[in-house]
Every structure is written in C-alpha cells, then in structure tokens.
Amino acid sequence: MDHRDDSRPEWGKSVSKVCLLPQRVVLVLMGFFSLICAFTCRVSLSHAITILAISNKISNKTIANLTDEAPDGVCQQEVESKDAVEHIGIYTWSETEKGFILGSFYFGYLISHLPGGVLADKYGAKWVVAFCVGVTAICELLSPTSIRLGPYYLITLRVLMGIAQGPIFPGLNGLLSSWAPKKERATLGTICFGGSTMGIILSNACSGLLLHYYTWPVMFYVFGSLSVIWFFVFAIICTSSPFSHPFITPKEREYLADEVGNVNKDKPAIPWKPLLLSMPMLSLIVSQMGHDWGYYVMVTNLPLYMADVIRFSIRSNGFVTALPYVAMWIASLISGVVADWLIRSGKLRLVTVRKLFTLLSAVLPGTFMVAASYAGCDKALVVALFTISMWTMGMYYAGQKLSALDISPSYSSTITAVINGLGSFTGLFAPPIIGLLTPDAEDRLFRGSHTNGESESKSIFTQPSGHSPAFQGVSEEVR
C-alpha cells in the first residue's frame, strides 16, 4: 500500500486535527516516561534498603559512646527533622547480603535482552516496551509483600523485574529506528533515553520525601501505580510504525516515509555471524561494559554511600543523590542538540561525533568519581564532585548509545540487546563486589574507624570501569 494513501479511520482523522505535537515527538515523550517508570521502580529499593537494614542504624549517640568525637573516617550524622517518620530496621543484612539483594535485579536483566530485542525487530517494538513497564509495575506493587515475607522472596521478585526490564532499551531503539529521522536522531534519542536519568532523579528525590513523611511501603505503591497509568496511555496512543498509526497526519507520515522509510518491511533474517564478528560491534560492547560499571555503581550504591558513609539524613539523601542525575540529564539534552548541529552543519562526520562524545563521557566521569571518594567528610565537596562526574557522563547518550541506530536501523533492537545485555554483567557483579570490598561495613559502614576502613570505602569508586580512550570504539555508519 502506498504510504500516501490515507487509510486512517474517521475517528483518527478527527483526533489528528487537535494534536498539538507531531506523533514522533509524542512517541519519544512516551519513551521518555517509560524509562522514568522503569528506573523509579528499579532504584527505589536502593533507598528503601537504607532504612530496612538494622545494620545501617548507627547514630551519633552510639559513636559518642565509643569516643568523645567521631572516629577518623566516620562522618557526623545529619540530624533528622522532628516531622520525620521513624523507621525501624527489619533485617540484619550484612553489606555483602545487601549487595546480592541489589544485584539480583541484573540476573534477570541480562538474560532477557536478546530475546526481547529479537522479538522487537521481528514483531514490532510497541508491545515489547509495554510488557517491560507493565510487568515492572506489578513487581513494584508486590515489593512490600515480598520484603515482609523475607529476602529470598524479595530477590525472586527483583529477578523477575530484571527480566521485565531487559528488553526496554532494545525496544525503544526499535521504535526510534522507525520514527526518528537521521538528522533529528541525536535530539530525539537523547530526549527519549534521558528518561532513565530523569527516572533516577525522581526516584532519588521522591524516595527521600516519601520515606521522610510516610511509611516505606507507600514509596513502592506510588511508583507502581504511576507505571500502571503509563501502560494504558501508551497502549492507546502509540504504535510500532508510523504507517499503522491511526491519527498521524498525512504530512508527517509522508515526511517519515521519505526520511526513514519502512524499516520493518520485508526484513531479511538477522545476519548473526557478520554482526557478532564485526569490529564496530565488538568496540561498542567493550565501551558499553566500561560505561555500565561506573553507571551501575552510582545507581545502586550512591544512596547507600551518602546515607552510610557521608551520613546524610533520609530526606537530604534523596536530594543530594538526585543532583548528579539532574546534571547528567541536562548534559544529555545539550549534547544531543550539539551533536545534531555538528552533523547537520558538516563540521564533523557522524562517526567522529559519536567517538568524541563517547570518549568524553568515559574519561571525565571516572576522574571525578575517584576524586569524590577522596573528599573525606566534606559533604558539599563530595556532592559537587559526584555531580560534575555525572554531568560529563551525560554526553554518552549522544555518543555510544545511538551507535546501534547508525550501524543498522533495521536491526537496532537486536544490536542494542547484545550490547546492553553484555554490559549488564557489570550491574550484576558491581553491588556484590562492593559488598565484599567492605567486609567491616556491617559495624562501621564502609569506612571503619581505622585506616583500612577508609581505604575500603574509596576502593568502591576506584575499580576499573573502562574509562579510558582504549575502550572508546564507535562504529562507522553501516546500513
């Protein structure tokens, strides 16, 4: 069927007259909100665990019983305000056990990437993304029950949530391959993928407030309910392809047909051998693993580090752990616009832009992350250095993250699935490794009252994370 034939239903023609935004922008915004839902649900446990575990409950009074002043390496606890809800720890989890609980999500996350990516390429990405958020919402709503039943139930639920979220990035890449023209790709892509950063921002900030004013289950119910609402809105207004959208305007459909084409039409079988053995693909895998180590360490362990080492109050912890991601989100939006401008103006080739932004988003974050671990108990300096670190990481979305679309729009979901799936191994191992690096944390919380304890807390942020130019290979554009 010719793409210029108007086959929309009558109700669709009526709706299109009142739509204020192009449907490709609507789809990108829904992708943005899908990642907000996914990451608020993913990260919420990192905050809940700071008040669920009895081992975290060390007060200034306890320290005062040991010495007149806080021991070396132990920061003073920020006092909670009088209107804060008192939380009583439920479990005597060690740091290693908490690491396995937080890391269990990635057991499921890494195994569902490839199946989800293949399904998105073969049958369309809409329902893959809808499945991801829908099942995530159910898992989030069941989290309080699983926590009360015991850690093994919680770990099982987190594995299921990981399975649900594994295909979300491959699915979104599949949607962008059909809806994002090349000259708008960096801008639309960074807006869409920026939802992951905004999800962490909202999870950190809102978790702190919800835990401050309400009992801890409320946090899970709020995030889970919002994800359910997103699911129904997305199912109604979005489609995998512009050619099957019921109320896209003929003008926009023709524009996308000329600029993007129908990438899902007459698609041949996935060329597995050339794909997996190509040097651009291998370079993307290595750079993804390097990025993910630093990123997942921050996502899963920054709330614990701020609460247990720097010792912010519950409410303050939410805000100070959100600030680095606010910086990252703003940087990602700016970098997307700058990258598109550099490409459109002809100042740099597409592959050069991708390499440059990938390089900067790897070397600089690692440098400032290590510096933050040596800032001691200077709360303002620690927050500032982590914020600068994540600001520089924001350029990643205009670099490595969009390279799968450049390699092959037709198989972008599968390519992203392979890259993200292998990269998620770092998310699986990072929290347990951090727990093992701090064996005294059950009593001294990451830093101890002696020199060894201080070195342990610093070692979290000095593990090799691939943040060096040697890891920054980005592909040439290949159709």
Side-chain angles (χ1 to χ4, degrees), residues 200 289-303 305-306 309-310 324-325 328 360-376 378 381-394 396 426 430 434 454-468:
I200 299 171
M289 295 181 76
H291 167 270
D292 281 359
W293 173 272
Y295 185 70
Y296 288 137
V297 163
M298 293 288 285
V299 168
T300 58
N301 290 92
L302 186 61
Y305 187 79
M306 292 299 198
V309 178
I310 309 303
Y325 298 100
M328 184 179 181
L360 294 175
S361 66
V363 176
L364 297 178
T367 302
F368 287 105
M369 200 178 295
V370 172
S373 70
Y374 284 90
D378 188 332
L381 181 59
V382 169
V383 173
L385 289 171
F386 276 129
T387 301
I388 296 171
S389 173
M390 298 308 287
W391 166 272
T392 57
M393 194 182 287
Y396 156 81
T426 60
I434 289 171
E454 288 185 274
S455 65
E456 285 167 354
S457 66
K458 292 169 184 175
S459 68
I460 292 173
F461 300 103
T462 56
Q463 294 305 299
S465 57
H467 291 305
S468 73

Side-chain angles (χ1 to χ4, degrees), residues 212-330:
H212 180 84
Y213 290 109
Y214 304 100
T215 57
W216 60 266
V218 172
M219 176 186 64
F220 294 103
Y221 296 140
V222 169
F223 294 148
S225 298
L226 291 175
S227 298
V228 171
I229 294 172
W230 177 92
F231 173 86
F232 287 107
V233 174
F234 179 78
I236 293 170
I237 69 173
C238 293
T239 60
S240 294
S241 168
F243 304 106
S244 58
H245 199 285
F247 48 89
I248 188 175
T249 63
K251 181 179 179 180
E252 184 179 12
R253 185 174 60 184
E254 290 176 15
Y255 170 72
L256 293 175
D258 293 337
E259 294 293 327
V260 180
N262 191 346
V263 299
N264 297 311
K265 185 178 181 181
D266 300 326
K267 188 183 298 184
I270 299 172
W272 285 109
K273 186 176 180 180
L275 183 68
L276 295 176
L277 295 180
S278 70
M279 189 57 65
M281 184 72 170
L282 294 175
S283 68
L284 289 176
I285 291 171
V286 174
S287 66
Q288 181 75 38
M289 295 181 76
H291 167 270
D292 281 359
W293 173 272
Y295 185 70
Y296 288 137
V297 163
M298 293 288 285
V299 168
T300 58
N301 290 92
L302 186 61
L304 277 173
Y305 187 79
M306 292 299 198
D308 296 345
V309 178
I310 309 303
R311 310 193 78 212
F312 281 101
S313 67
I314 293 173
R315 180 167 58 178
S316 296
N317 189 28
F319 285 114
V320 298
T321 53
L323 280 177
Y325 298 100
V326 172
M328 184 179 181
W329 180 63
I330 295 172

Side-chain angles (χ1 to χ4, degrees), residues 50-237:
T50 66
I51 55 94
L52 288 171
I54 295 172
S55 61
N56 287 337
K57 306 300 175 184
I58 294 182
S59 65
N60 284 331
K61 184 177 180 181
T62 303
I63 293 174
N65 290 334
L66 299 175
T67 59
D68 292 334
E69 297 181 357
D72 292 340
V74 179
C75 302
Q76 288 290 339
Q77 175 69 51
E78 182 181 3
V79 179
E80 298 282 357
S81 61
K82 294 181 179 180
D83 59 348
V85 173
E86 183 179 358
H87 296 281
I88 301 175
I90 299 174
Y91 298 109
T92 54
W93 291 331
S94 68
E95 295 303 317
T96 302
E97 289 170 328
K98 285 188 284 186
F100 280 109
I101 290 171
L102 293 173
S104 61
F105 171 92
Y106 298 98
F107 280 99
Y109 188 68
L110 66 90
I111 64 175
S112 60
H113 269 79
L114 189 56
V118 172
L119 288 173
D121 276 336
K122 191 170 184 179
Y123 299 108
K126 171 184 174 177
W127 291 111
V128 171
V129 175
F131 165 84
C132 293
V133 179
V135 177
T136 293
I138 295 172
C139 291
E140 184 76 353
L141 292 171
L142 292 175
S143 291
T145 301
S146 68
I147 290 171
R148 292 189 181 102
L149 290 173
Y152 295 109
Y153 292 92
L154 175 59
I155 289 173
T156 300
L157 193 68
R158 293 291 293 181
V159 171
L160 292 175
M161 184 185 287
I163 292 173
Q165 289 198 22
I168 193 165
F169 280 110
L172 289 173
N173 251 320
L175 290 175
L176 288 174
S177 70
S178 297
W179 285 88
K182 186 188 301 184
K183 61 185 179 181
E184 301 175 12
R185 189 174 292 166
T187 301
L188 294 178
T190 52
I191 291 173
C192 179
F193 293 130
S196 60
T197 307
M198 182 56 67
I200 299 171
I201 294 169
L202 293 176
S203 182
N204 288 343
C206 295
S207 293
L209 289 173
L210 291 170
L211 291 172
H212 180 84
Y213 290 109
Y214 304 100
T215 57
W216 60 266
V218 172
M219 176 186 64
F220 294 103
Y221 296 140
V222 169
F223 294 148
S225 298
L226 291 175
S227 298
V228 171
I229 294 172
W230 177 92
F231 173 86
F232 287 107
V233 174
F234 179 78
I236 293 170
I237 69 173

Side-chain angles (χ1 to χ4, degrees), residues 346-368:
K347 295 183 181 300
L348 292 175
R349 296 169 58 216
L350 183 146
V351 66
T352 306
V353 170
R354 298 287 186 256
K355 287 182 177 180
L356 174 63
F357 281 78
T358 303
L359 173 65
L360 294 175
S361 66
V363 176
L364 297 178
T367 302
F368 287 105

